[in-house]
Amino acid sequence: MDRHLISRIAHTDHPIAAPLFDDSVQRLLDRALTGDAERLLDLGCGEGPWLLRALAARPKLHAVGVDLDTRGLTIAQQAAAALGVSQRLGLHHQDAREFSHPEPFDAVLCVGATHAFGGLLPTLTAIDRHLAPGGLALVGEAFWAQDPDEAALAGLGGMAATDYDDLATTVDRVVAAGWTPVYGYVSSRPELDDYEFSWTGSLAAWALDHPEDPDSAEAAAVAAEHRTGWLRGYRGTFGFVTLVLRRAE
Ligand SMILES: C[S@@+](CC[C@H](N)C(=O)[O-])C[C@H]1O[C@@H](n2cnc3c(N)ncnc32)[C@H](O)[C@@H]1O
């Protein structure tokens, strides 16, 4: 089963593809898009939930999203039309690592897509290339809320303990790379649990609703395996932080 399709079905009831409630997303956008911000870029925008929320609330804002998932971008485009913000949204079907644009952005975000750049620090290097002087980065990244044991690493699909750090070390590395956290939000346990139950539940429900679909059995199996990997593995170990960062000029 195509992983983009799995992800799209799994996010049906949780459009933000990260463990954040809507009010957390709004608060983070308010911190990243300060008064006169006019240009926003999202690297790995998916279906564009961050861009759409930002555009709907800020009539002067123009936004650009980049993603490799064609259908995700189509959904973003349709949602933008429904909201009446299409004129202010540019979508690019492209590898975010190769994206270039003639004008810099007041804010650049990358949430849940740092793997595309090879981790948090390479993501910040990529973001920096697109930021206007004084611009803000908004980046969402996993961290270890406690030392990962074997069950946690297996539940995350065979990750290594070195793939993430604890929260303090994560922030230290960002600071050492020349960034100053001007805000940050650590996803709460209810946000993490809601995200996982929503992800696994939407996929499992789709399998029940489509028993004749050739992908039905696989969708049910992926949902069950993911749920077990979470509940018996990484629940309590996997954390998620979204940082708003400024570069020293
Ligand atoms: C977990 S989703 C996050 C989507 C969105 N940022 C959100 O918070 O809802 C990760 C996204 O990164 C995209 N992605 C992964 N690698 C990419 C790459 N090299 N270039 C562009 N997008 C990429 C995927 O297609 C997917 O839409």
Side-chain angles (χ1 to χ4, degrees):
M1 201 175 169
D2 172 55
R3 67 186 172 83
H4 285 310
L5 178 60
I6 290 177
S7 175
R8 197 159 31 255
I9 296 169
H11 288 110
T12 307
D13 303 305
H14 196 298
I16 300 286
L20 291 157
F21 290 150
D22 262 353
D23 58 340
S24 307
V25 171
Q26 294 294 357
R27 192 161 354 114
L28 283 157
L29 284 172
D30 286 345
R31 294 290 190 135
L33 293 167
T34 47
D36 49 359
E38 288 180 1
R39 296 173 45 72
L40 170 66
L41 170 65
D42 187 346
L43 299 169
C45 65
E47 298 176 10
W50 291 83
L51 298 174
L52 295 166
R53 282 161 177 71
L55 287 167
R58 296 166 182 79
K60 288 187 182 160
L61 187 72
H62 286 75
V64 171
V66 185
D67 205 287
L68 286 171
D69 179 12
T70 324
R71 289 187 60 184
L73 293 172
T74 302
I75 290 167
Q77 203 161 35
Q78 289 165 348
L83 282 171
V85 300
S86 303
Q87 299 293 328
R88 296 186 283 123
L89 176 63
L91 294 170
H92 298 260
H93 178 232
Q94 195 180 345
D95 190 324
R97 291 169 298 183
E98 289 158 14
F99 177 74
S100 66
H101 200 278
E103 287 178 73
F105 293 85
D106 299 310
V108 179
L109 66 93
C110 180
V111 179
T114 54
H115 56 281
F117 298 95
L120 179 58
L121 296 188
T123 299
L124 291 175
T125 302
I127 285 177
D128 198 28
R129 282 201 295 274
H130 300 292
L131 266 186
L136 292 167
L138 188 158
V139 61
E141 173 72 327
F143 69 90
W144 297 133
Q146 60 186 22
D147 287 344
D149 59 16
E150 277 184 26
L153 295 172
L156 288 163
M159 293 197 83
T162 50
D163 284 344
Y164 299 122
D165 293 300
D166 63 28
L167 179 60
T169 307
T170 302
V171 173
D172 283 350
R173 289 176 63 218
V174 165
V175 171
W179 296 84
T180 301
V182 294
Y183 185 59
Y185 180 75
V186 176
S187 293
S188 65
R189 175 59 75 83
E191 284 173 307
L192 289 157
D193 284 352
D194 179 83
Y195 181 70
E196 298 291 356
F197 262 132
S198 190
W199 199 103
T200 56
S202 298
L203 192 58
W206 181 89
L208 290 173
D209 288 341
H210 299 82
E212 308 301 334
D213 192 293
D215 286 332
S216 182
E218 189 181 344
V222 169
E225 188 185 351
H226 191 118
R227 192 177 59 239
T228 302
W230 162 51
L231 288 172
R232 298 205 177 276
Y234 63 86
R235 184 171 186 262
T237 299
F238 183 91
F240 196 82
V241 62
T242 309
L243 297 166
V244 181
L245 302 167
R246 250 175 74 180
R247 194 101 167 100
E249 296 305 321

